[in-house]
Amino acid sequence: MRVSTASSGAEKWPQAPPIAVFIRNLKLLRLDLRPDWPGIVPSTLSDNQNNLRRRVQAVEWTLFYLFQLWDPELTRNV
């Protein structure tokens, strides 16, 4: 879906939701290929109270592996 701006003639693409961008970045880092990938999808990170435990687990998993990419030496002993 493109939106054309009449004044400049330029096309403006709608922005992706932040959760979609976050998940896309995890996939670009190839974290989804890890055997313990928790299957993070937008509904995993939704604001649903019934999903709170799964959301926290997904965020913890993500933070650990992002930190591992940043400092593998420090995370080796964890």
Side-chain angles (χ1 to χ4, degrees), residues 13-43:
W13 292 89
Q15 289 185 333
I19 290 176
V21 173
F22 177 70
I23 294 171
R24 183 181 316 127
N25 287 330
L26 293 177
K27 290 182 178 185
L28 287 171
L29 290 168
R30 302 176 64 97
L31 292 177
D32 62 324
L33 301 179
R34 296 193 57 84
D36 59 342
W37 167 255
I40 301 171
V41 294
S43 62

Side-chain angles (χ1 to χ4, degrees), residues 22-74:
F22 177 70
I23 294 171
R24 183 181 316 127
N25 287 330
L26 293 177
K27 290 182 178 185
L28 287 171
L29 290 168
R30 302 176 64 97
L31 292 177
D32 62 324
L33 301 179
R34 296 193 57 84
D36 59 342
W37 167 255
I40 301 171
V41 294
S43 62
T44 306
L45 301 173
S46 70
D47 221 4
N48 183 352
Q49 288 299 318
N50 298 330
N51 199 30
L52 186 58
R53 180 179 294 237
R54 188 158 185 245
R55 181 173 37 156
V56 169
Q57 288 172 341
V59 170
E60 286 176 342
W61 185 93
T62 301
L63 289 174
F64 175 79
Y65 284 106
L66 289 175
F67 192 75
Q68 186 181 49
L69 289 171
W70 183 60
D71 192 347
E73 183 69 31
L74 190 59

